[in-house]
Amino acid sequence: MRRKIVAGNWKMHKTQKETVALLEEISSKKPNTATEIIVAPTFVNLSKAVEVTKGKGITVAAQNMHQAEGGAFTGEIAASMLTDIGVNTVILGHSERRAYFHETDALLANKVNTALKHEMRVIFCFGEELKDRQQNNHFNIVEYQLRDGLFHLEKKDWAHIVLAYEPVWAIGTGETASPEQAQEMHQFVRSLVEKVYGFEIADNLTILYGGSVKPDNAKEIFSKPDVDGGLIGGAALKADDFLAIVNGF
């Protein structure tokens, strides 16, 4: 059975004091659920987040990491630095990293390799921009991103991969892909993985939807058969909104 996940990507928000307050509120109000709850604060607050959430049933993830083991890469964070403080999940390929920091599929493939070498779980993001959908090229774009970023992996590696579909035109714009559009892409992705890696891997693969998920639309989106949860942005910064999305299951 596929794991259900709701992950909050906090992006460049929250001081350490604010991080602790939000995590304590989420912990105190967290429902008794089989859904995995993931939070991804900023790098400087990861260690504190691990401390605060210990034993609370909340997973702490990093928003990014460098592909090198170490070296002269000012401002970057290595996988070993994350695992050393108890962070074993990392988000890679977020649309903002691709757009603002020019991360390519080839670079992301290297990051994935490094993360897996350190036995980390990867939440791998992908998705099309508005022009791609308008030109009816969205399936091709998604296929290229997955093939170039992930399809070099061995079958065993997929036990450590979670996918997150982000229609870029629906992030931070207030626009949301319809539940039918989300299901259509998730089904396409699952069938694509099945063609390359077989039914069992595809059927067990968790695929999240990330694109302006809110408390009032989560239940309908999560009801689709190939949508296994969400990668949440803005709504993850308020405990009540985030937990309402968790309760969308």
Side-chain angles (χ1 to χ4, degrees):
M1 187 174 180
R2 295 195 294 270
R3 173 170 287 191
K4 304 297 185 183
I5 295 174
V6 175
N9 176 17
W10 293 10
K11 306 187 181 183
M12 199 171 70
H13 295 286
K14 303 295 182 184
T15 63
Q16 185 169 110
K17 184 178 180 180
E18 291 167 340
T19 294
V20 170
L22 180 54
L23 289 175
E24 288 180 341
E25 186 177 3
I26 291 172
S27 298
S28 67
K29 297 179 178 180
K30 184 176 74 69
N32 184 14
T33 175
T35 301
E36 182 181 3
I37 297 173
I38 299 177
V39 294
T42 62
F43 281 128
V44 296
N45 293 323
L46 286 176
S47 185
K48 191 67 175 179
V50 170
E51 176 188 326
V52 171
T53 58
K54 188 174 182 179
K56 302 291 180 60
I58 297 172
T59 302
V60 177
Q63 297 177 19
N64 184 38
M65 51 160 264
H66 197 271
Q67 67 274 17
E69 295 290 346
F73 302 104
T74 300
E76 293 293 335
I77 305 293
S80 60
M81 298 173 184
L82 297 174
T83 58
D84 184 59
I85 61 169
V87 176
N88 298 295
T89 299
V90 61
I91 300 169
L92 296 177
H94 191 280
S95 59
E96 291 160 0
R97 298 296 311 179
R98 292 174 183 267
Y100 305 148
F101 301 96
H102 312 294
E103 293 192 354
T104 64
D105 294 322
L107 173 66
L108 292 172
N110 286 331
K111 288 192 176 192
V112 169
N113 291 344
T114 301
L116 294 179
K117 180 180 176 182
H118 288 265
E119 300 182 342
M120 299 184 75
R121 176 175 51 168
V122 173
I123 300 176
F124 187 86
C125 303
F126 61 93
E128 82 280 6
E129 296 183 12
L130 181 59
K131 60 181 174 57
D132 302 315
R133 184 163 280 270
Q134 290 174 333
Q135 295 168 4
N136 202 33
N137 198 35
H138 46 297
F139 291 119
N140 289 333
I141 293 296
V142 163
E143 181 170 351
Y144 294 150
Q145 289 175 341
L146 293 176
R147 285 191 180 278
D148 293 346
L150 293 177
F151 281 8
H152 64 287
L153 298 178
E154 298 180 23
K155 283 188 174 183
K156 63 179 177 61
D157 295 328
W158 283 85
H160 306 285
I161 300 294
V162 172
L163 298 184
Y165 168 55
E166 302 181 292
V168 180
W169 48 273
I171 299 175
T173 63
E175 296 293 329
T176 309
S178 70
E180 291 72 27
Q181 287 173 316
Q183 166 59 20
E184 181 184 42
M185 183 59 80
H186 282 230
Q187 185 179 45
F188 169 77
V189 168
R190 201 176 301 283
S191 66
L192 185 62
V193 173
E194 181 179 356
K195 288 176 185 176
V196 179
Y197 289 98
F199 172 79
E200 185 176 358
I201 287 175
D203 190 51
N204 287 307
L205 178 64
T206 295
I207 308 177
L208 310 179
Y209 170 73
S212 297
V213 178
K214 296 179 174 60
D216 60 0
N217 62 23
K219 185 174 182 179
E220 187 177 7
I221 292 172
F222 293 169
S223 71
K224 297 303 178 182
D226 288 295
V227 179
D228 305 311
L231 179 60
I232 316 303
L237 299 173
K238 295 181 180 179
D240 288 341
D241 286 352
F242 185 56
L243 294 174
I245 292 171
V246 173
N247 284 326
F249 282 112

